[in-house]
Amino acid sequence: MSDSLEDLARTMRSIDTTLKELAAFLAMGKKGIANETHALALLIELGPDIAAIADRIGVHRSTVYRWPKFMEQVDRVRRAGVSASG
């Protein structure tokens, strides 16, 4: 596997782990995690296009910037060289 594919695979595994962590918090009744979880799922689908992700969730894009787990994954996706268009 090429280095970029390995980086992308590691990034996707990291997003998956983060989704599982957020799902665990949600199961414990923590509010506000559902949108961040949805945003992480959309990160896989849409790439690191924060405006498009915020629009799909129905929140202002500035809200998304306040989600540290999500922004960490956005940075990872960007470092892996994934564009907003895939």
Side-chain angles (χ1 to χ4, degrees), residues 7-38:
D7 288 343
L8 183 57
R10 274 193 296 278
T11 298
M12 292 302 139
R13 283 192 299 272
S14 179
I15 290 171
D16 182 60
T17 298
T18 302
L19 281 168
K20 288 175 182 170
E21 290 171 357
L22 290 170
F25 281 115
L26 185 59
M28 293 184 332
K30 302 290 182 189
K31 297 194 183 227
I33 301 299
N35 281 343
E36 188 172 2
T37 301
H38 190 189

Side-chain angles (χ1 to χ4, degrees), residues 35-81:
N35 281 343
E36 188 172 2
T37 301
H38 190 189
L40 281 161
L42 288 172
L43 179 59
I44 294 169
E45 178 184 338
L46 301 175
D49 185 342
I50 291 175
I53 290 169
D55 186 54
R56 288 275 292 271
I57 294 171
V59 299
H60 191 275
R61 65 187 168 106
S62 65
T63 300
V64 177
Y65 285 98
R66 293 192 302 260
W67 297 334
K69 286 186 175 286
F70 173 75
M71 291 308 300
E72 177 184 326
Q73 296 306 328
V74 167
D75 289 341
R76 288 183 66 117
V77 168
R78 287 177 176 160
R79 282 193 309 267

